[in-house]
Amino acid sequence: MTIRLTPLTVSTLLDRVRTEPPLVQCLTNAVVTNFTANVLLALGAAPAMTDIPGEAGPFARAASGVLINLGTPHEEQRRAMLEAAEAANDSGTPWVLDPVAVGSLPVRTALAAELLGYRPTAIRGNASEIIALAGLGSGGRGVDATDDPETALPAAVLLAEKHGSVVAVSGPTDLITDGVQTIRISNGDPLLTRVTGGGCALGAVTAAFLAVADDGGGLAAAAAATAVYTAAAEPAAQASSGPGSFAAGFLDALAAITGQDLEQRLVIA
């Protein structure tokens, strides 16, 4: 089935997030926890930073969606991540893998490979991370990509086909693919890359949108999450004087964005 992403599709899913607030469990990195929680709250979702063994699995079964972000994977959190991924896969809770800096660092690379066995609903990362996760490259420069999204498309398709995941590759034009169809979204602003959590929080937003999607609607949901997130960055950047004011303005823009804004701003191919 061919999915045509329109501003109306995006707006409908955003309305669901706001009227049926999903509970999003975030096992994420220590650098971005606060920003990620605030992004979810601004969007209308409910964050829960439940990331310790013994709690992560049971919570994943009850949550609406789960984010697993490998930014600072200390030993206890790694155990919790595996527990949450197994529980989410077993219970049908949609979950998102953000393979931060895989390829260049051995501990998280091995962890990411193990997590893939629990079939993430969506995988979200930069081009170098996606290429490394697919086993086709060695990663970028730490958390920074050294590849562009179009170069990563074959790796994204491979991951989608092998694991049944929707794969989102971030960049100036974001690519979202289910292995058959690819959606490109050309919104956003460079200031997103100058705020800690600017990329990582999108994984949590993706989990929120997957939680309210119709069955089989993972591609549309992941693309809609990217669309809302990047479209909100534009008015925030226009009103800001730099990264500090942008961060606050971005939260306000997420809370305020409307269907009319999406109709006017979205660039989808």
Side-chain angles (χ1 to χ4, degrees):
M1 179 180 67
T2 299
I3 295 172
R4 181 171 177 264
L5 191 76
T6 67
L8 179 59
T9 306
V10 176
S11 180
T12 298
L13 286 165
L14 174 60
D15 287 344
R16 288 184 191 172
V17 171
R18 288 171 169 168
T19 58
E20 309 165 23
L23 176 61
V24 181
Q25 178 185 8
C26 300
L27 297 89
T28 193
N29 72 75
V31 183
V32 306
T33 302
N34 184 69
F35 188 73
T36 299
N38 282 336
V39 162
L40 286 171
L41 289 169
L43 189 69
M49 282 33 197
T50 308
D51 66 349
I52 62 173
E55 292 184 355
F59 203 95
R61 294 180 183 277
S64 309
V66 177
L67 165 66
I68 296 180
N69 173 297
L70 306 187
T72 54
H74 56 76
E75 183 177 359
E76 184 179 55
Q77 193 185 53
R78 294 199 301 273
R79 289 190 282 119
M81 288 174 173
L82 290 167
E83 183 182 299
E86 181 179 14
N89 181 55
D90 182 61
S91 62
T93 304
W95 74 278
V96 177
L97 173 62
D98 191 335
V100 178
V102 297
S104 58
L105 297 170
V107 173
R108 72 194 62 219
T109 301
L111 176 60
E114 192 170 357
L115 286 166
L116 284 174
Y118 296 112
R119 298 179 65 82
T121 313
I123 300 167
R124 195 220 69 82
N126 67 39
S128 296
E129 291 163 347
I130 296 302
I131 290 170
L133 190 64
L136 302 178
S138 58
R141 191 185 67 164
V143 299
D144 295 327
T146 55
D147 301 278
D148 63 81
E150 289 294 340
T151 301
L153 183 56
V157 170
L158 178 63
L159 287 169
E161 291 175 343
K162 185 174 181 179
H163 301 288
S165 308
V166 172
V167 182
V169 188
S170 60
T173 292
D174 296 278
L175 306 180
I176 304 95
T177 185
D178 60 0
V180 176
Q181 183 178 349
T182 299
I183 296 172
R184 292 169 172 82
I185 299 171
S186 299
N187 289 99
D189 190 272
L191 280 173
L192 271 174
T193 67
R194 297 181 64 193
V195 173
T196 298
C200 293
L202 178 52
V205 173
T206 301
F209 274 75
L210 288 169
V212 300
D214 296 325
D215 289 344
L219 177 62
T226 297
V228 169
Y229 197 83
T230 55
E234 295 174 351
Q238 290 167 1
S240 74
S241 57
S245 55
F246 171 78
F250 181 57
L251 295 177
D252 290 342
L254 278 173
I257 195 166
T258 65
Q260 183 177 4
D261 295 328
L262 294 168
E263 180 71 36
Q264 292 173 347
R265 289 188 178 277
L266 287 184
V267 181
I268 302 171

